[in-house]
């Protein structure tokens, strides 16, 4: 009796969870794209930047993560860093062709927000990004509250 009903409710719960995850993913994409339209937007690997865009940026790029959940932000940040490292050789070659050899590394200005919109008014993302950078051995500084500057290359 009750076993079949429980299995049906369990299947229905999994379907709803899948639908909810889809809505979360769509929201993540929209929020990120709205805040980062000039820095490559969003794709599945957060890898939409091209070597040409990096050359135009002159070695300093921005990524605005505030408004995303912490786990989403860290996934997007990790994907963006991996993408930047993948296209860096092409970027370096293009910079050299343009006679811009002064750009020897790549810096990523990461906007995390200050926590004003969090229920406890504390930044949750900033400390997590700092921990991520420390664990990955990425040098960074905190030029102002709510932002980090990381040397990713």
């Amino acid at each position: 009796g009750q076993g079949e009903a429980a299995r049906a409710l369990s299947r229905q719960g999994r379907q709803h969870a899948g639908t909810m995850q889809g809505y979360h993913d769509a929201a993540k994409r929209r929020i990120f794209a709205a805040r980062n339209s000039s820095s490559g937007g969003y794709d599945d690997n957060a890898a939409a930047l091209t070597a040409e865009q990096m050359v135009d940026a002159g070695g300093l790029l921005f990524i605005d993560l505030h408004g995303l959940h912490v786990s989403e932000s860290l996934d997007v940040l990790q994907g963006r860093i991996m993408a930047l490292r993948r296209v860096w050789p092409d970027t370096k070659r293009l910079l050299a062709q343009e006679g811009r050899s002064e750009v020897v590394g790549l810096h990523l200005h990461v906007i995390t927000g200050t926590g004003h919109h969090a229920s406890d008014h504390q930044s949750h993302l900033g400390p997590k990004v700092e921990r991520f950078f420390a664990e990955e051995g990425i040098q960074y500084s905190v030029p102002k509250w709510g932002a980090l500057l990381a040397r990713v290359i």
Side-chain angles (χ1 to χ4, degrees):
Q2 297 285 341
E4 184 58 37
R7 282 189 289 279
L9 288 172
S10 178
R11 278 191 301 275
Q12 186 180 25
R14 285 192 298 275
Q15 288 173 339
H16 288 306
T19 301
M20 180 184 70
Q21 186 59 48
Y23 286 131
H24 277 290
D25 289 344
K28 171 181 69 172
R29 291 171 190 276
R30 286 189 183 119
I31 291 168
F32 186 83
R35 295 189 186 278
N36 293 278
S37 61
S38 65
S39 66
Y42 186 90
D43 71 3
D44 286 334
N45 299 312
L49 283 176
T50 65
E52 290 79 11
Q53 287 171 308
M54 289 173 61
V55 167
D56 291 343
L60 177 62
L61 298 164
F62 290 82
I63 187 169
D64 188 340
L65 299 174
H66 84 285
L68 299 176
H69 292 286
V70 171
S71 62
E72 295 169 341
S73 294
L74 294 176
D75 287 344
V76 168
L77 179 61
Q78 185 174 26
R80 180 56 57 96
I81 289 171
M82 288 171 43
L84 293 173
R85 288 177 173 169
R86 269 195 310 273
V87 298
W88 177 245
D90 290 337
T91 304
K92 195 171 174 182
R93 181 180 45 75
L94 289 172
L95 286 166
Q97 288 173 355
E98 291 185 5
R100 295 172 60 191
S101 58
E102 77 280 0
V103 179
V104 294
L106 180 65
H107 292 84
L108 185 61
H109 194 94
V110 182
I111 300 166
T112 60
T114 58
H116 290 297
H117 301 290
S119 59
D120 59 0
H121 301 288
Q122 298 292 315
S123 174
H124 297 269
L125 182 55
K128 298 287 186 178
V129 170
E130 287 189 60
R131 186 174 336 150
F132 169 76
F133 286 155
E135 289 171 358
E136 295 294 317
I138 296 172
Q139 295 176 350
Y140 70 93
S141 63
V142 184
K144 68 181 214 173
W145 191 36
L148 296 108
L149 182 62
R151 182 181 174 115
V152 295
I153 301 288

